[in-house]
Amino acid sequence: MTNLLTYQVYEGVAVVSIDSPPVNALGIDVRQSIVEGFEQASTNADVHAIILACSGRTFFAGADIREFGTPAKPPILPEVIALIESSPKLTIAALHGTPLGGGLETALACHYRIAIAGTRMGLPEVKLGLLPGAGGTQKLPRLVGVPAALEIITSGRQIKASEALELGIIDRVCAGDDLLAEAINYARELVDQNAPRTLVLERNEKTAEHQGQTEIYDTFRAKNARRFRGFKSVENIIKAVQLAADLPYVQGLKRERELFTELQQSRDSLAQRHVFFAERESSKVPDIPKTTPVRPLQTVGIIGAGTMGGGIAMNFLNAGIPVTLLEQKQEALDQGIDVIRNNYQRSVKAGRMTKEVLEARLGLINPSLNYADLSSVDLIIEAVFETMEIKKAVFSSIDAVAKQGCILASNTSYLDLNEIASATSRPQDVIGLHFFSPANVMNLLEVVRGEHSDSDVINSGMRLAKTIGKTPVLSRVGWGFIANRVMKVRSFQTDNLILQGINPEIIDKVIYDYGFAMGPVAMKDLVGLDVLGRESKERTVESVLVEMERLGQKKNGGYYDYDQNRQKTLSAIAMEVIRNIAQEKGIEPVAADEEEILARLLYPIINEGAKVLDEGIALRSSDIDIACIKGYNWPVYKGGPMFWANSIGLKKVLEKLREFEQRFGSAFTPSPYLVRLVKDGKEF
Ligand code: CAA
């Protein structure tokens, strides 16, 4: 017997319980243990029912993702599932925690399922660029019908026990908190009633109505086209669900495996699996152990109720944490709170929030015009205008009122945090908490480590990110920190390409086709040309467009003209301005195909990432990937710039950068770190 298995028989009910921390992932040892348990129970004449359960924090949370890409060791999961299904006994899965992916598929092999309240189950493989490859696409439609299965598997969302019961995924929700005791009682009840032992794979009453239909899938594709764009796994999932309705189970299962294998070997899935682990890695700080204390976080003060401050506040309100929101003038304060209210109102209108919740969240705001009101909060976040003098003045005022032990955070995007901290008498309590716009939506939080920041302050910053549902990435102090710094070079190259006569529409197309939601030129128009060019003293395309009152989408159009439906067409006026500025600056037109445009826009990001690593600003290359994915919506199936660079081959990236350096100058000069990696035959 492996030491992961506990096997016990309680008056005719065998309990096969597995314990493999942290999440009972279905690795080889776990699979072997299930087989051992089932073999024992199935051959014991005194056993009438078998309960499959897990100890620890969750029922199996899926296949062991670390095993993907390594040779499969038998028994593979489909074999384990087939063994459970062939058991002559009545079988029940007892669920708690997060039965996900292969975990839920294992549960679907049992005749019945009971779950404790609070269980959240699902088939999240789409998030790893995969599909449920152990029968999930064939079984879920048999339980919940085709439309619900399409929605659940393509979204990968977690389903609460109560909804799972309604949908028919589980048969009972455990009333108390002793899952095992209730599962045993349930098993006895079922045995006593001689309850039917129908396997999910034998059922087809829910799929019959869609057999032979194609329209439902086409409609589903069309309705979600925008959301699904670029994700190859979604198409395979839709195909597999269709097979569940159209084919006998065994044939459908065989095709599901083929569709799964195709995805498992794809570069996209490799990238998404990289992102899965990168996201978990980014919250770890090597020199700050998890046991480092965390400072309390019961109340927060936010200085500045503008777009950023308001967005930041919403994160804490959503987490039930009261916010003292400070402004200089009543009018600005009222306006800021109105914006927050309107944002929530939109959620209410869309049915995602009740009016009561809206009022409860707004009720957590304590509006203030007085720094003294910040004297009792645990954390103060400054989100005021981005100039050093103002930031220092604000920090000096905070220092005068904040209680001992309060964390003092700046949301600065580019400024030197150490200089800001020097305006206080307690630089050890100062960190950067850099949110990305819109702050209530974007998932990235850069936690900036100042020269003097205490370990517990940094640890608290990393933890609070989790509290408000963000992914933290640690950054040292440096201009633009991580995400803004590396992405800024794309903006710079966009301007160069435009002036060299490359059509802005082509630039946008290249970036859109790569997988971003929007190209960089359209993005400029969205952000506002007046906002972008604020610091520039030079005469640029944007400064001229702003002089002409062309501010972008918000006023008169920018690079593009916009109709009432926000449909855009390239502006003849903007093209004229581009030609004039190029002439003034003596810039000659350059021809470039789409591949070259892409390389000119994105390879400098890789290069800048190499510099960020070399300077020790980021801890690891995967943190840069996470920063770009979570802060700038870099397509997740490319794995972020650094992973993408590895998949292209660093040698090729370096050669291209050298070629561009020759043709266009020092903006492309390769980072010495990149050069070293290539020389040593290494990757990021
Ligand atoms: N395989 C291997 N390791 C896993 C894992 C998995 N399926 N799921 C989680 N882990 C590891 C994490 O990497 C992490 O390790 P470290 O502590 O070393 O960083 C640890 O378990 C804890 O994970 P989290 O930090 O994410 O803990 P959490 O409590 O926040 O979340 C969870 C737990 C909801 C299970 C989350 O980890 C998760 O979503 N896991 C992935 C679930 C999943 O995608 N399952 C499907 C797998 S694919 C599949 O099953 C294919 C198939 O059909 C055969």
Side-chain angles (χ1 to χ4, degrees):
M1 193 189 282
T2 63
N3 56 10
L4 305 184
L5 169 68
T6 307
Y7 175 75
Q8 271 170 315
V9 180
Y10 303 87
E11 292 173 31
V13 179
V15 177
V16 171
S17 179
I18 308 293
D19 184 13
S20 177
V23 295
N24 286 306
L26 286 149
I28 178 62
D29 293 341
V30 169
R31 298 197 300 271
Q32 266 164 355
S33 304
I34 300 173
V35 170
E36 262 181 54
F38 264 79
E39 279 172 349
Q40 281 193 53
S42 296
T43 51
N44 183 345
D46 295 333
V47 167
H48 305 296
I50 309 172
I51 293 172
L52 177 60
C54 290
S55 45
R57 60 204 245 201
T58 179
F59 191 80
F60 312 110
D64 189 335
I65 305 166
R66 281 173 236 267
E67 280 185 359
F68 291 174
T70 64
K73 285 194 194 140
I76 59 169
L77 190 57
E79 289 165 353
V80 176
I81 285 176
L83 178 97
I84 297 172
E85 284 169 338
S86 68
S87 172
K89 316 286 180 180
L90 182 97
T91 53
I92 298 148
L95 312 180
H96 76 291
T98 47
L100 297 173
L104 183 57
E105 289 172 304
T106 306
L108 295 181
C110 296
H111 297 114
Y112 294 91
R113 282 155 293 283
I114 178 170
I116 199 158
T119 308
R120 299 177 76 92
M121 62 201 79
L123 295 172
E125 286 84 347
V126 70
K127 297 182 183 163
L128 301 169
L130 297 170
L131 57 75
T137 64
Q138 303 306 295
K139 285 184 187 145
L140 195 69
R142 286 178 156 82
L143 283 178
V144 305
V146 167
L150 282 173
E151 184 274 317
I152 291 169
I153 311 179
T154 56
S155 70
R157 73 181 170 95
Q158 293 185 3
I159 300 161
K160 287 185 194 154
S162 50
E163 189 190 349
L165 183 69
E166 255 170 55
L167 286 166
I169 301 173
I170 59 172
D171 306 284
R172 183 171 284 197
V173 176
C174 168
D177 54 11
D178 191 345
L179 175 62
L180 198 57
E182 290 206 31
I184 293 172
N185 286 340
Y186 185 38
R188 292 208 177 108
E189 210 179 292
L190 291 166
V191 171
D192 290 348
Q193 289 167 0
N194 203 12
R197 295 181 189 185
T198 314
L199 290 168
V200 179
L201 63 90
E202 292 162 345
R203 298 172 54 171
N204 61 10
E205 69 274 12
K206 288 263 175 85
T207 45
E209 65 172 302
H210 293 294
Q211 192 179 8
Q213 287 187 5
T214 54
E215 204 185 298
I216 180 170
Y217 309 100
D218 292 339
T219 310
F220 184 72
R221 279 185 188 97
K223 196 170 148 219
N224 295 288
R226 220 173 122 197
R227 192 156 61 88
F228 293 164
R229 188 174 73 92
F231 288 93
K232 296 193 182 88
S233 50
V234 171
E235 187 47 37
N236 281 23
I237 289 169
I238 297 172
K239 278 186 195 158
V241 171
Q242 185 169 2
L243 295 169
D246 291 353
L247 293 182
Y249 177 76
V250 176
Q251 286 174 37
L253 189 68
K254 187 165 169 280
R255 262 309 274 147
E256 177 200 77
R257 198 72 201 163
E258 288 161 7
L259 291 165
F260 173 80
T261 309
E262 189 182 301
L263 294 174
Q264 203 189 16
Q265 291 160 352
S266 71
R267 196 179 265 200
D268 295 25
S269 173
L270 210 60
Q272 285 180 254
R273 273 135 55 192
H274 158 76
V275 174
F276 175 83
F277 288 114
E279 207 178 328
R280 277 146 188 86
E281 205 58 23
S282 79
S283 57
K284 297 174 188 156
V285 185
D287 65 327
I288 302 181
K290 271 197 173 153
T291 48
T292 308
V294 177
R295 296 195 187 177
L297 180 63
Q298 305 293 328
T299 48
V300 178
I302 295 173
I303 304 177
T307 313
M308 214 53 200
I312 295 171
M314 286 177 74
N315 291 295
F316 291 95
L317 303 176
N318 296 347
I321 299 173
V323 172
T324 301
L325 191 58
L326 189 88
E327 258 296 348
Q328 281 176 312
K329 298 216 169 79
Q330 188 65 44
E331 202 188 337
L333 194 54
D334 293 344
Q335 212 172 27
I337 294 173
D338 275 352
V339 173
I340 296 178
R341 178 182 283 278
N342 289 341
N343 279 339
Y344 282 137
Q345 205 87 53
R346 269 200 290 276
S347 300
V348 172
K349 264 199 189 138
R352 291 191 302 266
M353 186 186 274
T354 63
K355 274 194 179 142
E356 292 71 36
V357 172
L358 177 149
E359 292 307 332
R361 296 212 177 151
L362 291 176
L364 290 171
I365 304 177
N366 169 27
S368 167
L369 298 171
N370 190 349
Y371 270 90
D373 291 336
L374 299 177
S375 62
S376 62
V377 300
D378 299 318
L379 162 71
I380 299 174
I381 304 175
E382 159 280 307
V384 302
F385 203 70
E386 185 82 351
T387 65
M388 186 54 88
E389 296 95 295
I390 298 179
K391 299 260 186 207
K392 280 171 97 169
V394 165
F395 268 76
S396 152
S397 307
I398 297 174
D399 191 27
V401 296
K403 68 178 180 188
Q404 274 305 310
C406 175
I407 297 177
L408 315 184
S410 171
N411 177 50
T412 179
S413 316
Y414 292 98
L415 299 175
D416 180 346
L417 182 76
N418 295 328
E419 194 179 336
I420 296 175
S422 73
T424 73
S425 60
R426 38 178 140 171
Q428 73 280 2
D429 293 337
V430 176
I431 48 168
L433 290 178
H434 182 210
F435 290 80
F436 286 73
S437 191
N440 53 319
V441 176
M442 299 307 284
N443 273 328
L444 177 63
L445 182 65
E446 284 181 346
V447 177
V448 184
R449 182 178 196 163
E451 205 180 338
H452 300 290
S453 311
D454 264 350
S455 298
D456 65 337
V457 173
I458 296 160
N459 200 32
S460 304
M462 301 301 279
R463 292 281 186 90
L464 84 81
K466 294 267 162 86
T467 308
I468 57 172
K470 307 270 180 212
T471 305
V473 166
L474 190 74
S475 175
R476 287 270 184 194
V477 177
W479 183 88
F481 309 109
I482 300 175
N484 280 356
R485 172 167 166 191
V486 301
M487 292 305 291
K488 193 80 178 175
V489 294
R490 188 184 75 173
S491 181
F492 182 63
Q493 290 308 330
T494 302
D495 294 345
N496 287 346
L497 284 164
I498 289 175
L499 287 175
Q500 286 176 350
I502 305 292
N503 186 318
E505 271 182 317
I506 308 272
I507 295 173
D508 279 348
K509 175 185 179 297
V510 165
I511 290 300
Y512 179 82
D513 288 349
Y514 178 81
F516 283 92
M518 194 182 257
V521 187
M523 182 62 101
K524 283 169 187 281
D525 272 4
L526 183 68
V527 175
L529 304 184
D530 52 334
V531 178
L532 288 172
R534 230 169 0 209
E535 304 112 54
S536 168
K537 309 241 171 331
E538 216 188 319
R539 198 171 127 82
T540 62
V541 173
E542 277 151 35
S543 71
V544 176
L545 289 173
V546 171
E547 271 167 31
M548 298 166 103
E549 298 272 295
R550 292 185 66 89
L551 306 186
Q553 267 200 37
K554 64 182 165 190
K555 196 168 175 200
N556 301 331
Y559 287 92
Y560 293 96
D561 291 320
Y562 297 86
D563 68 12
Q564 313 88 299
N565 304 319
R566 298 204 173 181
Q567 286 298 317
K568 59 183 191 316
T569 40
L570 198 57
S571 150
I573 301 172
M575 291 304 281
E576 172 84 25
V577 173
I578 291 168
R579 276 190 297 273
N580 291 342
I581 298 284
Q583 209 170 31
E584 276 172 39
K585 293 183 187 267
I587 297 170
E588 294 293 325
V590 170
D593 61 13
E594 291 193 5
E595 195 184 333
E596 177 159 315
I597 294 171
L598 186 73
R600 281 188 59 186
L601 289 168
L602 300 191
Y603 285 13
I605 298 178
I606 299 167
N607 198 33
E608 200 64 25
K611 292 179 199 167
V612 161
L613 278 174
D614 206 17
E615 292 164 23
I617 302 288
L619 276 171
R620 17 179 128 74
S621 63
S622 60
D623 284 3
I624 302 174
D625 289 334
I626 291 298
C628 291
I629 290 168
K630 303 278 174 185
Y632 276 86
N633 285 331
W634 193 288
V636 61
Y637 49 81
K638 299 283 189 201
M642 312 312 271
F643 179 88
W644 182 58
N646 285 342
S647 57
I648 298 166
L650 295 195
K651 189 161 174 281
K652 189 171 160 204
V653 174
L654 179 63
E655 278 164 6
K656 239 353 186 193
L657 283 169
R658 282 189 168 136
E659 178 202 318
F660 292 152
E661 183 190 17
Q662 290 280 316
R663 290 167 59 198
F664 309 115
S666 62
F668 293 96
T669 304
S671 137
Y673 179 57
L674 178 62
V675 175
R676 277 200 308 277
L677 285 180
V678 172
K679 188 164 154 273
D680 298 343
K682 290 188 179 152
E683 292 191 325
F684 285 122

